[in-house]
């Protein structure tokens, strides 16, 4: 059995130092096998924070007992306390991993059960979003979009897809909406915002895990006195203090980082409210319909192409 030499002086109180600092302090007294574990932890702290003790042991090439003794050699009560300290600072990033781990550990579920649970979760999020809406915020959000010369939409990751749907909805009713997310990255958004001014508006979309690029563009907009409309999850979001107006969507999910359906529902409601207050909305919709009519499938004739007047009359 591998012997372990503990540090001559007691380690600092748990939580007062990072795991990396603890390893550096204890390294001279660590055994060869414990150093193998330490090297894995230092090289891949984020990945290790997601591993169970047997997974870490396998990755380091040691036994489960050795991995647990390694945690104790650093002054922790055991592997759970060590892993809990490693996770600190990565909470938002690792939340989906922990949620999925919890689902897996709770036992198998049928596909139908998951369907029902996921749809119920979406319904609950949408209802919670509806109940939390402020009438004043709704009116202010619509007014910002209605009066804007150009609407710049900032959102990255999954929020970029939501931003694209917002752009699609706004353009349907004649708005000049521009998506800042592109293959060129955040610098494309920064260059686009360099042409913006107080007569424009930036719609910034961000949910946990909040992405720094979206926040940076919102900060740039504020510096240029461009109004910011935030679509985020709650008042504690780092995007909220940067916004002139904020709309909050509850987006909790056990199956993914966020529930996008509630955000999409909020976006659709926003576009719908805007359309009813835009004088050119009907004309814009008619123009769009005439353009896409040749590509619409005609269920009456069984062929592509519909007379726009048929669509209008329907």
């Amino acid at each position: 059995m591998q012997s372990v030499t503990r540090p001559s002086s007691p380690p600092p109180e748990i939580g007062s130092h990072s795991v990396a600092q603890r390893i550096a302090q204890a390294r001279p007294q660590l055994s060869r096998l414990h150093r193998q574990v330490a090297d894995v932890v230092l090289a891949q702290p984020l990945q290790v924070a997601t591993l169970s003790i047997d997974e870490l042991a396998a990755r380091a090439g040691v036994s489960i007992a050795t991995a647990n003794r390694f945690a104790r050699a650093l002054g922790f009560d055991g592997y759970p306390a060590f892993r809990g300290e490693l996770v600190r600072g990565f909470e938002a990033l690792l939340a989906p991993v922990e949620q999925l781990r919890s689902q897996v550990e709770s036992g198998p579920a049928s596909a139908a059960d998951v369907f029902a649970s996921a749809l119920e979760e979406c319904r609950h999020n949408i209802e919670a979003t509806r109940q939390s809406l402020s009438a004043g915020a709704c009116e202010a959000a619509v007014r910002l979009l209605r009066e804007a010369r150009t609407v710049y939409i900032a959102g990255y990751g999954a929020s970029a897809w939501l931003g694209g749907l917002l752009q699609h909805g706004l353009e349907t009713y004649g708005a000049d909406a521009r998506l800042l997310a592109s293959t060129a990255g955040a610098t494309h958004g920064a260059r686009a915002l360099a042409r913006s001014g107080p007569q424009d508006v930036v719609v910034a979309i961000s949910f946990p895990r909040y992405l720094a690029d979206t926040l940076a563009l919102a900060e740039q907009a504020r510096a240029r006195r461009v109004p910011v409309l935030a679509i985020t999850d709650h008042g504690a979001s780092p995007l909220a203090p940067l916004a002139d107006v904020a709309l909050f969507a509850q987006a909790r999910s056990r199956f993914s980082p966020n529930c996008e359906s509630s955000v999409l529902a909020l976006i659709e409601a926003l576009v719908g409210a805007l359309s009813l207050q835009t004088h050119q909305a009907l004309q814009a919709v008619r123009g769009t319909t005439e353009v896409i009519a040749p590509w619409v499938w005609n269920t009456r004739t069984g062929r592509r192409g519909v007379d726009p007047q048929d669509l209008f009359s329907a």
Side-chain angles (χ1 to χ4, degrees):
M1 180 179 292
Q2 182 69 38
S3 62
V4 178
T5 304
R6 295 189 179 277
S8 55
S9 58
E13 190 175 318
I14 290 178
S16 62
H17 290 279
S18 71
V19 169
Q21 289 173 314
R22 284 170 175 261
I23 291 174
Q25 291 175 351
R27 194 174 185 88
Q29 289 82 31
L30 293 179
S31 69
R32 177 180 61 82
L33 292 180
H34 287 175
R35 289 183 183 183
Q36 286 180 213
V37 182
D39 290 341
V40 173
V41 173
L42 292 175
Q44 303 172 327
L46 177 58
Q47 292 89 331
V48 172
T50 70
L51 301 179
S52 63
I53 188 170
D54 54 328
E55 291 170 330
L56 174 60
R59 185 167 298 193
V62 301
S63 68
I64 294 176
T66 296
N68 196 52
R69 286 195 294 270
F70 163 76
R72 292 183 178 277
L74 297 184
F76 296 98
D77 291 337
Y79 186 77
F82 158 77
R83 184 170 171 270
E85 177 71 9
L86 194 59
V87 165
R88 286 176 57 183
F90 294 134
E91 290 93 341
L93 197 60
L94 294 177
V97 179
E98 295 305 306
Q99 290 167 359
L100 183 58
R101 184 191 299 277
S102 175
Q103 292 291 319
V104 171
E105 291 176 349
S106 66
S110 69
D113 288 340
V114 176
F115 268 69
S117 180
L119 290 171
E120 174 61 21
E121 191 171 65
C122 293
R123 186 201 65 78
H124 176 76
N125 279 325
I126 291 173
E127 178 59 21
T129 299
R130 185 188 69 82
Q131 292 184 1
S132 68
L133 280 177
S134 158
C138 293
E139 294 292 342
V142 170
R143 184 169 58 253
L144 278 178
L145 295 180
R146 186 181 67 242
E147 297 175 356
R149 178 187 62 178
T150 300
V151 179
Y152 295 96
I153 303 170
Y156 292 89
S159 293
W161 300 100
L162 294 166
L165 291 169
L166 174 59
Q167 180 193 33
H168 171 73
L170 294 176
E171 287 183 337
T172 299
Y173 297 107
D176 179 13
R178 305 182 188 184
L179 195 63
L180 297 182
S182 77
T183 54
T187 56
H188 165 76
R191 287 196 299 270
L193 284 185
R195 299 187 295 272
S196 66
Q199 65 272 52
D200 303 313
V201 64
V202 168
V203 180
I205 308 172
S206 188
F207 290 81
R209 316 153 200 181
Y210 308 106
L211 294 185
D213 288 344
T214 305
L215 299 177
L217 291 178
E219 290 173 344
Q220 180 181 340
R222 285 190 64 87
R224 298 184 60 84
R225 301 184 183 279
V226 180
V228 175
L229 167 59
I231 299 178
T232 188
D233 54 332
H234 50 63
S237 163
L239 192 57
L242 301 174
D244 296 273
V245 180
L247 296 176
F248 300 121
Q250 180 166 299
R252 298 171 186 164
S253 176
R254 289 173 293 163
F255 304 100
S256 60
N258 293 292
C259 173
E260 271 86 35
S261 61
S262 57
V263 188
L264 177 56
L266 182 61
I267 287 173
E268 290 182 340
L270 175 61
V271 172
L274 177 65
S275 69
L276 295 179
Q277 294 192 20
T278 303
H279 298 305
Q280 302 87 355
L282 181 58
Q283 181 179 353
V285 171
R286 284 182 175 272
T288 300
T289 301
E290 291 175 355
V291 170
I292 68 172
W295 282 269
V296 174
W297 185 258
N298 192 325
T299 57
R300 181 174 56 82
T301 64
R303 295 192 300 272
R304 190 182 72 177
V306 178
D307 187 329
Q309 294 305 317
D310 291 342
L311 292 178
F312 296 147
S313 59

